[in-house]
Amino acid sequence: MATATQAGADGWTSRTAFILAAIGAAVGLGNVWRFPTLAGENGGGAFVVFYIGCVILIGLPLVLSEILIGRHGRSDAMHSVEKVASDSGVSRGWGLFGGTGILAAFLIMTFYSVVAGWVIYYIGVMGWDFVAAFFSGAPFAGALAAENPDQISSRMTDLFANWPLLLVLHAMFMVATIWIVARGVQSGIEKAATYLMPAFFVLLILITIYGAFTGNFAEAVAFMFNPDFSKLTASAMNQALGQALFSMSLASAALITYGAYVSRETKLAPTAVMIAAADTGVAIIAGLMIFPIVFAAGLDAAAGPTLVFQSLPIAFHTMPGGALVGFLFFILIFFAALTSSISLLEGVVSWCINKFGMARATAAWGVGGLMFVIGIGCALSLNVWSEFRLLPFIPNFADNNLMDTIDGFTGQVLLPVTALLTSIFVGWRADRQLVMAETGLSGGMFTLWRFLVAWLCPIAVGLILVFGLFPALLA
Ligand code: TRP
């Protein structure tokens, strides 16, 4: 097994660097695109409350579980689990859930890169618009002032119909990701996170303040925090759990892989809390950034995946300074997406390096290339392949194009299954002393954490998985 890429030779230079990279992995399209989309579609408040419950009771205990596996195993997701298993005297077959996590990361990246391509497109549209406004002496004009809302809206439909452009954008994002991962942990991943994440936070706060002043903040707060539990269907719960896992980058190799680069001295429990809190905080703030703008323009919160791309530019159209803010907004999403995609690729790449003894650059280009190829199918499912169904015999996915099928299958099946296996392994099979020593917890805190991992996670995740996939069982 190659160790040169693991802790020591090329580990994090500091605890701060690790936390920034882990937060960088967690904060991404999941927070600024998928969370508002799902919260909007599922009626707001009740979904948000249930989501936060999932984060605290299921997500947080799992974050700690995954980092501890990585730090003990000191390798990629699969090899780390195998190491913990053999040191605990149980079957190395448990490495399976490391493998399903790696598979999840692989699949997520195929559509993630396509969506990130839309972001690049809108950076171009809004950036060009801002530059034009600036030089015509109106730097604080609303976005796309020369167009009417229908025209702005058709920007997205036009993009979706233009498959060559979609592929070019998808390729651009993939190449940027591969290039950073190929450079390695310290000079690539860590450097990217230490520049991009602070920039992200500054933009996030600025745009939220802007939205609070110019948008309909009160209505957004009511929408997000007044729960109407009649809207909380089994499928909404399944999506909330899947989103909590997705957003914290759980069950998809990242935290195990990054845990391997963490020093022995770092205390894992507070680190886990910081990662979960930062990720959830950003999701909530992203909601408070987006919904005031959406409501002020009288648009529908339940617009779906196009909310951020189709609705927001229309909203920026009518707002003072919308040209500039719109441009900054898409740059913000781009930064978030890039630090996440790096981690998605790294999870798979580090496994290839260890498993096949590949050079880092070879693995990065090879795996990234394969993700790109499957991603082509996702891009084409918006146009020429829109009628193609991959899993027509599974009710949840019968109506989904390839992109929605990969997204739905990872979020609603693969991530929950991997999380379920992780919690059973850490809660029941891994050596108790080993686990306790790695967590650094003792007494009541350890008991509480262990209870959540061993009992609550498997039962809750199992139930949500079964009822989410087979809602007919509830009737
Ligand atoms: N958490 C990322 C986001 O919110 C998406 C994601 C899921 C991810 N699994 C991951 C990122 C693994 C990096 C590694 O956008």
Side-chain angles (χ1 to χ4, degrees):
M1 193 190 299
T3 48
T5 57
Q6 304 298 344
D10 188 23
W12 307 115
T13 49
S14 68
R15 173 167 181 259
T16 320
F18 164 64
I19 292 179
L20 276 177
I23 294 178
V27 172
L29 294 174
N31 305 63
V32 281
W33 166 66
R34 215 166 176 272
F35 176 77
T37 299
L38 292 176
E41 283 181 331
N42 289 296
F47 179 89
V48 174
V49 170
F50 188 80
Y51 174 81
I52 294 177
C54 288
V55 167
I56 297 175
L57 297 174
I58 298 172
L60 176 58
L62 284 174
V63 172
L64 182 54
S65 304
E66 292 201 1
I67 305 181
L68 84 82
I69 293 175
R71 185 167 68 176
H72 186 85
R74 289 254 171 254
S75 187
D76 61 85
M78 193 157 174
H79 289 101
S80 290
V81 178
E82 286 172 352
K83 169 97 165 82
V84 175
S86 60
D87 287 356
S88 303
V90 299
S91 163
R92 291 170 65 89
W94 282 99
L96 173 77
F97 76 79
T100 55
I102 294 170
L103 177 65
F106 182 90
L107 291 176
I108 289 172
M109 186 60 185
T110 62
F111 68 85
Y112 208 85
S113 172
V114 172
V115 178
W118 309 348
V119 178
I120 298 179
Y121 173 76
Y122 276 92
I123 291 181
V125 170
M126 302 301 256
W128 179 251
D129 178 58
F130 171 66
V131 170
F134 186 85
F135 283 108
S136 65
F140 298 110
L144 306 171
E147 298 181 18
N148 63 39
D150 283 344
Q151 288 170 313
I152 300 177
S153 192
S154 63
R155 292 262 182 182
M156 171 138 246
T157 28
D158 291 350
L159 170 67
F160 280 13
N162 188 347
W163 63 265
L165 178 59
L166 284 172
L167 294 187
V168 169
L169 296 165
H170 168 44
M172 281 168 66
F173 187 77
M174 198 60 97
V175 167
T177 305
I178 295 173
W179 185 74
I180 297 174
V181 170
R183 293 176 59 102
V185 172
Q186 266 179 29
S187 57
I189 300 174
E190 181 175 318
K191 203 176 249 144
T194 36
Y195 286 110
L196 296 180
M197 287 321 288
F200 170 85
F201 279 104
V202 171
L203 287 174
L204 180 71
I205 301 300
L206 286 180
I207 301 178
T208 307
I209 294 174
Y210 164 84
F213 281 107
T214 50
N216 194 338
F217 200 65
E219 190 179 342
V221 170
F223 179 74
M224 283 184 66
F225 299 112
N226 280 352
D228 170 1
F229 286 104
S230 66
K231 295 203 173 124
L232 199 60
T233 60
S235 146
M237 289 190 224
N238 184 310
Q239 292 182 47
L241 171 71
Q243 172 60 16
L245 300 174
F246 182 92
S247 190
M248 284 186 277
S249 299
L250 282 163
S252 41
L255 291 175
I256 300 184
T257 310
Y258 281 8
Y261 306 119
V262 177
S263 79
R264 287 263 135 239
E265 292 72 44
T266 303
K267 286 216 186 324
L268 297 190
T271 309
V273 172
M274 283 186 63
I275 296 170
D279 182 69
T280 309
V282 171
I284 304 282
I285 297 176
L288 293 176
M289 165 175 78
I290 289 166
F291 287 120
I293 301 176
V294 168
F295 289 138
L299 299 168
D300 183 11
T306 56
L307 178 74
V308 163
F309 298 101
Q310 201 164 27
S311 310
L312 277 186
I314 297 178
F316 287 131
H317 177 62
T318 52
M319 302 179 79
L324 173 60
V325 176
F327 175 50
L328 294 177
F329 175 81
F330 286 104
I331 290 189
L332 161 128
I333 302 190
F334 179 76
F335 285 173
L338 189 59
T339 50
S340 294
S341 65
I342 297 169
S343 316
L344 282 162
L345 181 55
E346 173 67 16
V348 188
V349 162
S350 67
W351 177 75
C352 287
I353 293 173
N354 294 332
K355 178 85 186 168
F356 307 113
M358 286 169 129
R360 169 169 280 278
T362 317
W365 286 99
V367 174
L370 216 57
M371 291 165 161
F372 173 75
V373 170
I374 299 181
I376 293 177
C378 293
L380 296 186
S381 44
L382 300 166
N383 35 66
V384 281
W385 286 357
S386 62
E387 295 310 314
F388 174 75
R389 299 288 173 268
L390 184 66
L391 303 171
F393 39 85
I394 300 180
N396 278 34
F397 309 121
D399 246 359
N400 289 358
N401 61 32
L402 183 65
M403 180 159 178
D404 296 340
T405 306
I406 296 184
D407 181 2
F409 176 75
T410 46
Q412 285 166 257
V413 182
L414 207 51
L415 296 182
V417 167
T418 305
L420 183 69
L421 293 172
T422 310
S423 62
I424 294 175
F425 175 73
V426 174
W428 296 98
R429 305 304 290 153
D431 181 76
R432 202 187 158 101
Q433 291 312 318
L434 181 163
V435 166
M436 189 159 167
E438 286 290 348
T439 60
L441 295 173
S442 56
M445 282 311 284
F446 180 73
T447 313
L448 174 65
W449 172 78
R450 182 148 187 284
F451 168 78
L452 293 174
V453 172
W455 290 96
L456 191 88
C457 290
I459 296 175
V461 174
L463 286 178
I464 294 172
L465 185 63
V466 170
F467 289 122
L469 285 181
F470 308 101
L473 292 177
L474 282 178

